[in-house]
Amino acid sequence: MIIIALGAPGAGKGTQAKVISENHGIPHISTGDIFRANIKNQTELGMKAKAYMDQGLLVPDELVVDLLVDRIKQADCVKGYLLDGFPRTIPQAEALDRALNNRGDKVEYAINIDVPDEFIVTRMGGRRACVTCGATYHVEFSPTKVEGICDKCQGSLIVRDDDKPETVMKRLEIYHEQTQPLIDYYAAQGALYTVDGTKDIADVTAQIEAVLSK
Ligand code: ADP
Ligand code: ADP
Ligand code: ZN
């Protein structure tokens, strides 16, 4: 089962990907999480990626594609996987298709979590991330039991550097320019399924599960 999550920054890709990948016993692969782990460990890749991420820009395709293609060759991916935040450009989608074609695989479900721009600033402004385990919360829509402390690991919560309002606007602009064209790309392959991402978290999960049971 090869699933990709499409949608604007803050649409709920990461939130849904965690639940869906657990429900189906497949790995959740987030290129954003991979970059953030590299930044935390101060690797060369992390330093390069950070310069783009802090400005709300995409990391160049050549820094993302090989990394992702290597990741999906790992043993835990044999039964499938859920990609969150990849592909984000047409060249990334084409590179993924080439890698999959070589093995007789294809993207089965491209799930577009549809959320209009006017919701996004509120979503991102309230997003909190655990510094230790990466879990994501929202001050209003998905609060932790104790303010500022991760429910899962007791780590502290922070506002991501790239969730400041100015950077969010830039990321949205880049999303419309570079990532939104993937909706037509996957529609043309007959793999596109759109869900209403403005509903509450559990409702969106139910819509996605309904798609996956088709
Ligand atoms: P969000 O979940 O809010 O959409 P991500 O965690 O997926 O954000 O990504 C954060 C940042 O990491 C992006 O703004 C971009 O700079 C970089 N990034 C993540 N995945 C990719 C990718 N596939 N291609 C290019 N840049 C990426
Ligand atoms: P993405 O990975 O697409 O950038 P996230 O999953 O990190 O998005 O969600 C962005 C923010 O919105 C987080 O604070 C999250 O808790 C919250 N959120 C996610 N889904 C919903 C929803 N359906 N309704 C309200 N808030 C949501
Ligand atoms: Zn945590």
Side-chain angles (χ1 to χ4, degrees):
M1 185 179 250
I2 299 176
I3 308 171
I4 65 178
L6 293 175
K13 300 180 297 295
T15 300
Q16 297 300 330
K18 283 201 175 62
V19 182
I20 300 292
S21 64
E22 257 171 45
N23 289 354
H24 294 268
I26 54 175
H28 164 207
I29 302 173
S30 156
T31 41
D33 286 349
I34 295 172
F35 288 136
R36 281 184 289 276
N38 274 275
I39 292 171
K40 200 171 163 190
N41 296 326
Q42 302 191 352
T43 70
E44 198 185 328
L45 173 68
M47 296 300 106
K48 282 187 188 156
K50 186 176 180 353
Y52 297 94
M53 291 166 74
D54 283 350
Q55 294 180 68
L57 301 173
L58 294 182
V59 176
D61 291 339
E62 55 272 26
L63 293 180
V64 187
V65 168
D66 292 349
L67 176 113
L68 191 279
V69 169
D70 285 344
R71 176 67 188 85
I72 61 180
K73 285 180 187 156
Q74 288 174 25
D76 62 335
C77 290
V78 283
K79 286 204 295 196
Y81 41 86
L82 194 170
L83 302 183
D84 161 17
F86 186 98
R88 257 188 164 90
T89 63
I90 296 279
Q92 289 181 19
E94 290 170 345
L96 175 63
D97 277 348
R98 280 194 300 275
L100 293 177
N101 281 339
N102 288 339
R103 287 177 286 159
D105 282 336
K106 65 179 171 61
V107 171
E108 289 168 76
Y109 300 98
I111 311 241
N112 175 32
I113 305 180
D114 186 35
V115 176
D117 287 7
E118 54 269 29
F119 285 76
I120 296 297
V121 179
T122 327
R123 290 262 182 111
M124 306 295 248
R127 172 154 70 180
R128 299 291 180 270
C130 172
V131 277
T132 311
C133 77
T136 299
Y137 301 92
H138 191 284
V139 289
E140 187 182 343
F141 308 127
S142 177
T144 47
K145 294 194 186 87
V146 181
E147 201 188 316
I149 306 290
C150 177
D151 287 350
K152 299 193 175 94
C153 78
Q154 323 304 315
S156 347
L157 303 189
I158 50 152
V159 176
R160 264 168 52 176
D161 283 344
D162 58 346
D163 279 353
K164 311 266 159 26
E166 320 78 74
T167 321
V168 170
M169 297 315 289
K170 185 67 192 170
R171 289 164 67 198
L172 261 181
E173 188 187 316
I174 299 281
Y175 165 76
H176 289 299
E177 264 170 39
Q178 302 199 45
T179 308
Q180 205 172 5
L182 294 176
I183 293 175
D184 289 340
Y185 181 92
Y186 287 106
Q189 293 190 4
L192 184 76
Y193 300 88
T194 296
V195 300
D196 179 355
T198 66
K199 300 285 196 274
D200 68 34
I201 293 174
D203 184 300
V204 179
T205 306
Q207 293 179 62
I208 297 174
E209 288 295 4
V211 166
L212 299 178
S213 65
K214 275 183 196 156

